[in-house]
Amino acid sequence: MSPTRRLVQKISATRTFARIAPHVIPALDRAVHRLTHGKVLLSARMLPGVILTATGARSGRPRRTPLACVPEEGGSWLLVGSNFGRPGHPAWTGNLLKNPEAEINWRSQDIPVRARLLTGEERARAWRTALEFWPPYAAYQARVEREIRLFRLERLERR
């Protein structure tokens, strides 16, 4: 692992990062992604990332959220609802619970997906995979009483 990646992991596990990052990183990612017509996602320079477009649980309107993801063999993705280790579940997880059909932008390609909340042993296996991929998730879980939601996104055929 590169020294830069280790440093970023150490910083991202801090409470200070958890206070600041949710206000800065998503807004910056959305702006750069829009300006580059979907070609660049800044946070993806450290971790693979997607732009999730999900239907708002209350508003019914499209909600775009840049997120880190864990790509899986077979063309699915894991999304971790860590909320940077803050107490509440991130809004996008509630949106997916109510409206599991969504779309992601992955490597400049729009892909329709269906999200599934993982539970039981399937969640446990996926959680281990997520921790191997990005160890700071363990620090986020240790800071909160809620179980961090973990979703698998699977491709849908275009209609």
Side-chain angles (χ1 to χ4, degrees), residues 1-9 45-46:
M1 178 186 327
S2 75
T4 302
R5 187 172 169 100
R6 269 196 299 273
L7 178 63
V8 170
Q9 285 183 356
R45 299 291 184 222
M46 188 54 58

Side-chain angles (χ1 to χ4, degrees), residues 118-127 141 147-150:
L118 302 181
T119 60
E121 183 53 37
E122 183 181 26
R123 184 197 183 281
R125 282 191 308 274
W127 182 248
Q141 183 63 78
E147 180 177 72
I148 290 176
R149 291 175 177 161
L150 191 57

